[in-house]
Amino acid sequence: MSKNLGAWDKAKRDGRKMSMITAYDYPFARMADAAGIDAILVGDSLGMVVAGDADTLRVSLEQIEYHTRIVAKGVQKALLMSDLPFGSYEQSPAQALASATRLIKAGADIVKLEGGEAMVETVAYLSARAVPVCAHIGLTPQYVRQFGGFKRQGKTPEGAARLLQDAIAFAEAGARIVLMEAIPSPLATEITQRIAAPTIGIGAGPGTDGQVLVLHDVLGLNQDHVPAFAKAYLDGAKLIQQAMADYADDVRSVKFPTS
Ligand code: KIV
């Protein structure tokens, strides 16, 4: 898949599903790109899976900028998306443009922001100023305190109607991708059918145009909070810990190094 967002629109029209994974450094970005993943997200989930925080709220723009720069070195073909972290865009569209500009200059092809109606003006503002935007709706982790935890969204008829309205408004404002997290599968499918922009889901069922997962969940490296909808393709923590234990044993028994 190309970095060209027109190709993403075509993939949606053609019914070709798209894959996205998070990455926070050069070696994993390089592997994801070589594996043929369509998009790589420098997510503010790094606050949780890399920095060990309980939520994403402490991640700074400087951190995302730094990780975008090192991830970009490993990405040739995939679309590179970077998160606007909490506190870097909510004040005004101008604040969002200043922050997004830094991420684009660091190597991002598109920036992602979280929210609903209050962010529609910002999406239009960025889109009109050469910044492609992905709108993240549903379980938006930056709102964890308002939600009272990492809770599924859109479960009531009113909540579902609001998310549909938000998705339509974001797409009309110019959002190039709409990402939906932890919402009912039929709602995600309906939103996908109602908007022209490609949709990416996480915990939103199979009806979206693509899927995203957090790298550490895919590789089984996350030993803390693993969402129920995640799928591990490797028991990474066990394998890596065993390799480290083998190394420590070899040092203790003087099997390594050899003369
Ligand atoms: O920060 C992140 O990794 C994300 C994904 C969970 C979509 O926003």
Side-chain angles (χ1 to χ4, degrees), residues 21-37 39-42 67-78 80 215:
I21 197 166
T22 65
Y24 315 100
D25 62 20
Y26 169 73
F28 280 105
R30 203 178 152 162
M31 285 186 263
D33 196 65
I37 297 275
I40 294 173
L41 170 64
V42 180
H67 286 276
T68 298
R69 191 166 292 121
I70 61 176
V71 162
K73 291 185 203 169
V75 180
Q76 284 176 5
K77 301 187 294 273
L80 178 49
L215 175 76

Side-chain angles (χ1 to χ4, degrees), residues 29-247:
R30 203 178 152 162
M31 285 186 263
D33 196 65
I37 297 275
D38 295 308
I40 294 173
L41 170 64
V42 180
D44 59 2
S45 51
L46 74 86
M48 298 175 76
V49 297
V50 176
D53 290 341
D55 56 43
T56 61
L57 301 179
R58 291 160 74 172
V59 175
S60 67
L61 181 63
E62 288 68 29
Q63 287 167 337
I64 297 284
E65 192 177 20
Y66 168 76
H67 286 276
T68 298
R69 191 166 292 121
I70 61 176
V71 162
K73 291 185 203 169
V75 180
Q76 284 176 5
K77 301 187 294 273
L79 185 78
L80 178 49
M81 183 184 293
S82 294
D83 265 345
L84 284 165
F86 179 61
S88 73
Y89 62 96
E90 303 87 339
Q91 272 173 33
S92 65
Q95 186 206 20
L97 180 61
S99 299
T101 302
R102 284 173 60 172
L103 300 184
I104 299 282
K105 285 187 188 291
D109 299 309
I110 179 169
V111 299
K112 175 162 80 62
L113 56 74
E114 298 183 9
E117 203 186 346
M119 283 299 129
V120 171
E121 185 194 349
T122 297
V123 169
Y125 188 90
L126 295 180
S127 303
R129 287 165 181 77
V131 178
V133 184
C134 169
H136 182 159
I137 64 171
L139 198 188
T140 43
Q142 292 173 16
Y143 290 70
V144 65
R145 297 210 171 128
Q146 288 213 5
F147 293 157
F150 293 93
K151 297 192 175 146
R152 290 185 76 76
Q153 300 296 308
K155 288 184 295 189
T156 62
E158 304 75 42
R162 198 174 334 108
L163 287 174
L164 175 60
Q165 270 171 23
D166 288 348
I168 292 172
F170 277 133
E172 285 175 353
R176 300 303 304 265
I177 297 176
V178 173
L179 190 150
M180 303 182 269
E181 177 165 353
I183 68 170
S185 180
L187 174 61
T189 303
E190 184 183 353
I191 290 174
T192 299
Q193 289 164 353
R194 293 274 298 268
I195 66 173
T199 62
I200 301 284
I202 174 165
T208 54
D209 298 312
Q211 298 292 328
V212 58
L213 281 176
V214 169
L215 175 76
H216 290 57
D217 295 339
V218 172
L219 300 183
L221 298 177
N222 189 355
Q223 298 179 285
D224 298 318
H225 167 81
V226 183
F229 51 69
K231 180 170 175 189
Y233 288 80
L234 187 75
D235 195 351
K238 194 170 157 202
L239 289 170
I240 291 171
Q241 196 172 316
Q242 188 56 55
M244 289 174 173
D246 291 348
Y247 163 61

